Amino acid sequence: APARALFHGELLERIRGLPGVEAAGAGTGIPLSGEQSGTAHEIEDFPTGPDELPPIFWYQFASPGSFDALGIPPISARTFEEADHQQSLSNVVVSSTIADRFWPGVDPVGKRLGVASGEDSTTWMTIVGVVGSVRDQGLREEATEIVYYPMIQPGGDNEERWSGAVTYAVKARNPENLASAVRA
């Protein structure tokens, strides 16, 4: 896991350094790929009752630069910074569909959610930003409720996040001119 994390971190930096690259990021999926997974989440402001099921959100891991490279606009506060990727999973970014569903008219930055484990030991994560919603499953489908987790960098608590399939997104004026440089 440490070697894979180091490889992906260095590759992303090299891609960002190519002439003509405006933004680049890495993650576990891109819009319309249908590659996301879902899991139950607890929302601190809306505790799940004993006979209720917690809400299930799609989730992805994303590096700094991912939202800009994919054209997903920040709506509130910020997206991921390098500091988010140097620590355990404590900060998350949520899609506006989640913000609108649970906090209509209220900025959810600073609110907390956690992965539902069925136990009393929920690890709470703080919402640090809201981004535009995307249609992940198809253009005819509604925008997806997504929680974005940071891709942990080498030396972080969760280096294994880099061990699965990683997708790179590159934004440039003439991306066709970059294909061979990225492959190299």
Side-chain angles (χ1 to χ4, degrees), residues 9 17 22 35 60 83 86 98 113 122 138 142-144 153 158 172:
E22 296 174 14
E35 296 173 358
Q60 293 181 26
Q86 301 297 332
I98 292 175
L113 56 84
T122 300
E142 293 296 318
T144 309
Q153 296 293 323
N158 292 310

Side-chain angles (χ1 to χ4, degrees), residues 78 80 84 89-94 108-114 123-129 148:
R78 65 178 179 87
F80 289 129
D84 295 315
L89 299 175
S90 59
N91 292 335
V92 294
V93 172
V94 298
V109 171
K111 305 288 186 181
R112 298 189 323 162
L113 56 84
T123 301
W124 295 104
M125 299 164 284
T126 304
I127 298 171
V128 296
Y148 297 93

Side-chain angles (χ1 to χ4, degrees), residues 72-105:
I72 302 173
I75 292 177
S76 176
R78 65 178 179 87
T79 58
F80 289 129
E81 299 170 347
E82 290 298 330
D84 295 315
H85 301 271
Q86 301 297 332
Q87 55 192 323
S88 62
L89 299 175
S90 59
N91 292 335
V92 294
V93 172
V94 298
S95 63
S96 61
T97 47
I98 292 175
D100 294 343
R101 177 178 167 192
F102 290 94
W103 299 280

Side-chain angles (χ1 to χ4, degrees), residues 10-52:
E10 288 177 1
L11 179 57
L12 186 54
E13 285 308 309
R14 288 179 67 183
I15 290 172
R16 287 179 179 148
L18 293 173
V21 171
E22 296 174 14
T28 56
I30 58 173
L32 298 176
S33 68
E35 296 173 358
Q36 285 65 29
S37 296
T39 193
H41 285 77
E42 293 289 344
I43 300 175
E44 190 175 43
D45 289 349
F46 304 96
T48 304
D51 296 328
E52 296 177 325

Side-chain angles (χ1 to χ4, degrees), residues 160-178:
E160 70 275 4
R161 297 293 178 222
W162 289 99
S163 65
V166 176
T167 301
Y168 288 86
V170 181
K171 179 180 176 182
R173 285 198 192 276
N174 299 306
E176 62 279 359
N177 297 341
L178 288 172

